[in-house]
Amino acid sequence: MAGDCAIDTEKYSLLEDFNVDVEVENKAFETFSLCFWVYLLDSTTYPSAIIRQVHSDMSVSAPFLVLDENKKMMLLPLTLLHREAPDPVNTSSWTEVPNVSTTAKFPLQKWVHVGCEVSRNYMRLYICGELVGEQVLTSLMTNGTNSDRSRKISLFSVGGDGYSVQGFIHSAEVLPSNLSASYHYTKDPPLWLSVDKPSTSGIELDEDGVWSVVSGTFCSLDVVLTNAIGQPVHKDVKVVASLLYADSGTHVEKRSDFEAFLLVSYEGIELSAEDKPCNLLNGCASFKFKLSQLSSKSDKRLFCIKFEIPEVKANYPFLETVTNQIRCISRNRDSVSSMKRIRLGEKKVSESKIVNGNGTSMEWRPQNHEEDNSSTDSENTEMRDSTAFRRYSIPDWIIFKYCLGNLTERALLLKEITNNSSDEEVSEFADQVSLYSGCSHHGYQIKMARKLIAEGTNAWNLISRNYRHVHWDNVVIEIEEHFMRIAKCSSRSLTHQDFDLLRRICGCYEYITQENFETMWCWLFPVASAVSRGLINGMWRSASPKWIEGFVTKEEAERSLQNQVPGTFILRFPTSRSWPHPDAGSVVVTYVGHDLVIHHRLLTINHICDSSERYTDAKQLQDMLLAEPELSRLGRIIRGI
């Protein structure tokens, strides 16, 4: 099923253009819910009114939804309904009247779903479909005078004054009493373009947070288009990269005597980035880029790479994204300054590789990396020795094409290779790709290809029975049976929350197509395969403590860890990693650091025992986790803020 041809930008409007009318104050009125997605830009003055209210008897509007001086969102009573409504002029009254407030700061420059439920005697505030709080109020409506009179109150936003905030709004709607905020939350989420995971190859992280990129070295970046609830979005659009000066945001102009400063690799050919937009496939565009030597030619200025969708003409900050600041360095950089840098994926906290008595090793590294290129020289030497003198039937150009391809191109290659090659040839191909890419994790994904494709095809045939569209309710039983069999764990079923996440990964709502199923299967099968192996299998089986609380998004983990003590952590499977990505099926530790910032780190567990019956080894992995200085206590998933 082909994706949409373009992004419908008409769904997005400026916050200052928001205006809805709601009828209240009659016998029939019970409750209404105002729901919308909002993307707030930074405001210069707090408190700031997001939405104001006014009716025919008011000469000045009053606040309805505000950010207080601590940037917490507050829902205030309605002037037409509640005696406790705030004074329109006195801003100090905003915090004095009864209100509903979030406990944490409201995120800026990020899509957030807001639901305001208002009744005669109470009001409720929902954030991202979850109830934040409720406030009981005194109604102005009585059984006497004017009880049959219907009146309108206008809810609107303004821009330009000292008590408003700038931003964008999406899918604003007044819902009837029979529909909930959680329904609106999943109905039509807005889109979000972001830089995903940089490769460890060629990128170093300086102490000041700047990326150091060696000139002339190809690096990899994934740019992903998702909706605001983390679901990949299939859109038939292109993404283009451009190089900017970090301090001014202006483009780095190409000089006539130099090659293009920003190059991308396409099927082994180097092209100027601006001349070669990259297609979004399954919500992801993979860029392999190279910088010419720049810093010495630009007064040591820093740079950044901006990614945007050229078809989107308006300036929507959520449909463009930029990397960290970049310092371009030469290959013969000073060795002393080099030692001050921390290579991506090798921070001090993750440098330790712990080995237990059974020879199982666990490496802990930041999650924001596409590949693990940290193999030792001895590993590479051993691999070269074991493959140098073998006859190999799959040609070298296929190996190089796989190494340079994006995830979709790799998946298509593997389908072709597994159809026309023996198991031994596929295994040798996996070894060759691991050798030339410098990432042993590629080999694991290649070796599972035949089984993943065969079991996925069989599962879909059983589910669809030759129908093009299948109702989701008819799919869940088959998915669960396949997962439990592959994971070798019959004692734990998938939960309603697990299936909700799988449906979001599918990109479907009521009905599922084969394309939806394959998207989900490429994420689920590597996870099930990981669960089937000794250490993870034991943690998955464990009910008390529950080490892995099912399928959890990054956003759910971050919300659950807000206001938690340092060292609290949650284990999860990253939803952005699908086969044949080298990190598909991996486990991520999301934790609160000693700096009170939430971090995400990838667990790479090598040589895990294949027997799922040895699940008592889970205690050994538990000990390895708790031995890390940044981890001290297991957290719990909380559905909401």
Side-chain angles (χ1 to χ4, degrees):
M1 182 174 64
D4 296 339
C5 294
I7 294 174
D8 185 5
T9 56
E10 293 184 358
K11 294 182 178 180
Y12 306 91
S13 59
L14 293 173
L15 182 59
E16 64 187 54
D17 295 332
F18 168 76
N19 192 339
V20 297
D21 292 332
V22 182
E23 287 194 4
V24 297
E25 203 179 83
N26 59 46
K27 285 183 178 180
F29 175 78
E30 292 294 336
T31 182
F32 74 89
S33 294
L34 172 64
C35 295
F36 56 90
W37 287 90
V38 64
Y39 181 99
L40 297 181
L41 303 178
D42 201 7
S43 177
T44 55
T45 306
Y46 292 96
S48 300
I50 300 174
I51 295 179
R52 304 185 71 86
Q53 54 178 311
V54 70
H55 57 80
S56 57
D57 294 340
M58 298 174 62
S59 57
V60 180
S61 64
F64 175 65
L65 194 66
V66 304
L67 292 182
D68 67 11
E69 63 275 7
N70 297 316
K71 298 185 181 179
K72 295 181 180 180
M73 177 169 281
M74 296 170 50
L75 177 63
L76 303 178
L78 210 62
T79 55
L80 204 57
L81 287 180
H82 307 126
R83 294 187 184 278
E84 298 86 349
D87 185 333
V89 179
N90 182 12
T91 58
S92 63
S93 69
W94 298 4
T95 56
E96 296 171 357
V97 301
N99 63 78
V100 182
S101 174
T102 59
T103 58
K105 290 183 179 180
F106 192 83
L108 302 180
Q109 297 181 312
K110 178 180 180 180
W111 282 114
V112 180
H113 185 268
V114 179
C116 307
E117 182 181 350
V118 180
S119 179
R120 301 183 187 188
N121 302 309
Y122 68 86
M123 60 183 180
R124 295 169 179 163
L125 179 62
Y126 296 82
I127 300 295
C128 295
E130 301 291 338
L131 179 64
V132 172
E134 179 179 8
Q135 177 65 53
V136 176
L137 299 168
T138 307
S139 175
L140 288 172
M141 301 171 65
T142 65
N143 294 325
T145 322
N146 297 328
S147 60
D148 292 325
R149 182 183 175 190
S150 177
R151 300 182 63 189
K152 287 184 179 180
I153 188 166
S154 294
L155 303 176
F156 65 97
S157 182
V158 296
D161 65 27
Y163 301 104
S164 65
V165 65
Q166 304 296 319
F168 294 85
I169 198 165
H170 171 83
S171 189
E173 188 176 1
V174 176
L175 302 181
S177 58
N178 62 327
L179 294 179
S180 65
S182 58
Y183 157 80
H184 189 272
Y185 172 61
T186 58
K187 179 183 176 183
D188 184 23
L191 301 185
W192 173 263
L193 189 70
S194 62
V195 175
D196 197 13
K197 314 297 176 186
S199 167
T200 60
S201 175
I203 300 179
E204 294 180 352
L205 179 63
D206 286 5
E207 295 173 347
D208 57 1
V210 176
W211 289 354
S212 284
V213 175
V214 179
S215 62
T217 300
F218 268 104
C219 310
S220 297
L221 283 177
D222 283 350
V223 179
V224 295
L225 182 66
T226 63
N227 60 25
I229 59 177
Q231 178 182 348
V233 176
H234 304 281
K235 295 289 183 180
D236 187 15
V237 295
K238 298 178 183 293
V239 176
V240 66
S242 56
L243 192 65
L244 309 179
Y245 289 111
D247 54 359
S248 65
T250 58
H251 283 78
V252 178
E253 298 295 337
K254 178 182 175 182
R255 303 177 187 177
S256 59
D257 54 338
F258 295 115
E259 65 177 347
F261 287 136
L262 182 62
L263 302 172
V264 294
S265 176
Y266 179 74
E267 295 187 349
I269 302 174
E270 296 180 10
L271 301 170
S272 170
E274 295 184 357
D275 297 335
K276 183 56 186 176
C278 189
N279 290 315
L280 273 173
L281 298 172
N282 296 323
C284 178
S286 296
F287 283 86
K288 288 189 175 294
F289 69 92
K290 181 175 75 172
L291 294 178
S292 302
Q293 189 170 346
L294 280 171
S295 295
S296 61
K297 301 172 183 177
S298 305
D299 298 324
K300 305 296 183 181
R301 294 173 71 179
L302 300 179
F303 309 92
C304 62
I305 301 176
K306 179 181 180 180
F307 299 95
E308 54 190 328
I309 301 172
E311 294 180 9
V312 177
K313 303 302 181 183
N315 182 25
Y316 294 112
F318 44 87
L319 293 179
E320 58 186 41
T321 185
V322 297
T323 63
N324 288 26
Q325 294 183 351
I326 298 173
R327 179 182 292 111
C328 187
I329 58 179
S330 62
R331 290 181 182 272
N332 58 345
R333 60 193 185 279
D334 183 77
S335 59
V336 176
S337 62
S338 174
M339 292 182 65
K340 294 181 180 178
R341 300 189 180 94
I342 306 170
R343 188 179 178 99
L344 279 181
E346 298 174 3
K347 284 189 175 181
K348 183 176 181 180
V349 70
S350 60
E351 284 178 346
S352 58
K353 179 177 283 189
I354 307 171
V355 181
N356 67 11
N358 297 327
T360 302
S361 64
M362 181 189 77
E363 182 184 353
W364 192 28
R365 60 189 176 91
Q367 190 222 344
N368 56 339
H369 312 305
E370 181 190 23
E371 299 177 354
D372 175 18
N373 289 300
S374 58
S375 56
T376 64
D377 292 338
S378 61
E379 282 180 312
N380 289 338
T381 301
E382 180 182 352
M383 194 174 295
R384 291 190 186 97
D385 291 342
S386 64
T387 59
F389 299 105
R390 295 183 183 176
R391 294 183 59 84
Y392 188 64
S393 59
I394 299 178
D396 289 346
W397 70 269
I398 293 290
I399 300 171
F400 298 139
K401 185 174 182 179
Y402 185 91
C403 292
L404 295 172
N406 58 37
L407 293 183
T408 301
E409 293 166 344
R410 290 174 181 174
L412 293 174
L413 270 176
L414 288 178
K415 289 178 181 179
E416 183 69 23
I417 289 171
T418 53
N419 282 336
N420 298 285
S421 305
S422 66
D423 288 342
E424 182 181 1
E425 289 171 333
V426 172
S427 180
E428 290 208 30
F429 175 72
D431 292 340
Q432 293 283 340
V433 169
S434 297
L435 172 66
Y436 289 109
S437 67
C439 175
S440 60
H441 302 166
H442 280 298
Y444 179 65
Q445 303 297 327
I446 294 171
K447 291 175 182 177
M448 78 161 61
R450 192 187 302 277
K451 186 176 180 181
L452 178 146
I453 294 169
E455 297 227 12
T457 301
N458 179 57
W460 175 249
N461 290 338
L462 290 173
I463 290 170
S464 67
R465 303 185 185 278
N466 295 323
Y467 287 100
R468 180 176 175 81
H469 296 82
V470 182
H471 198 280
W472 176 256
D473 292 342
N474 298 327
V475 176
V476 295
I477 296 177
E478 289 288 346
I479 291 177
E480 183 172 60
E481 289 181 353
H482 279 79
F483 177 83
M484 294 173 70
R485 177 178 53 80
I486 297 167
K488 301 178 182 178
C489 182
S490 59
S491 61
R492 178 173 176 178
S493 303
L494 298 181
T495 65
H496 176 71
Q497 289 81 9
D498 294 334
F499 284 115
D500 280 347
L501 180 56
L502 290 177
R503 178 151 59 176
R504 280 148 54 185
I505 292 174
C506 277
C508 69
Y509 292 95
E510 190 173 358
Y511 289 90
I512 182 173
T513 66
Q514 183 174 359
E515 183 187 23
N516 298 140
F517 176 81
E518 289 177 354
T519 299
M520 179 272 298
W521 188 255
C522 287
W523 183 83
L524 184 65
F525 186 90
V527 170
S529 297
V531 171
S532 72
R533 296 176 170 242
L535 296 179
I536 302 300
N537 190 272
M539 301 189 84
W540 181 261
R541 289 170 180 260
S542 176
S544 181
K546 200 168 189 178
W547 287 99
I548 304 176
E549 293 198 51
F551 303 154
V552 179
T553 66
K554 175 183 176 182
E555 292 74 21
E556 287 173 334
E558 288 179 340
R559 287 201 299 266
S560 299
L561 291 176
Q562 287 183 4
N563 301 320
Q564 296 295 312
V565 299
T568 307
F569 67 93
I570 289 170
L571 300 178
R572 61 183 178 86
F573 299 104
T575 56
S576 60
R577 292 295 177 258
S578 296
W579 178 88
H581 194 285
D583 292 334
S586 58
V587 177
V588 167
V589 181
T590 299
Y591 69 99
V592 182
H594 295 307
D595 55 0
L596 300 181
V597 175
I598 296 177
H599 302 269
H600 306 272
R601 295 191 179 275
L602 190 73
L603 280 181
T604 302
I605 304 175
N606 301 316
H607 312 300
I608 300 177
C609 57
D610 291 328
S611 173
S612 64
E613 296 179 358
R614 294 185 58 191
Y615 60 85
T616 53
D617 283 350
K619 188 174 186 301
Q620 297 171 354
L621 182 54
Q622 164 194 340
D623 292 341
M624 286 191 283
L625 288 169
L626 295 177
E628 291 291 338
E630 293 279 352
L631 306 181
S632 59
R633 62 188 293 266
L634 183 65
R636 299 298 303 272
I637 292 298
I638 302 172
R639 307 290 174 178
I641 290 184

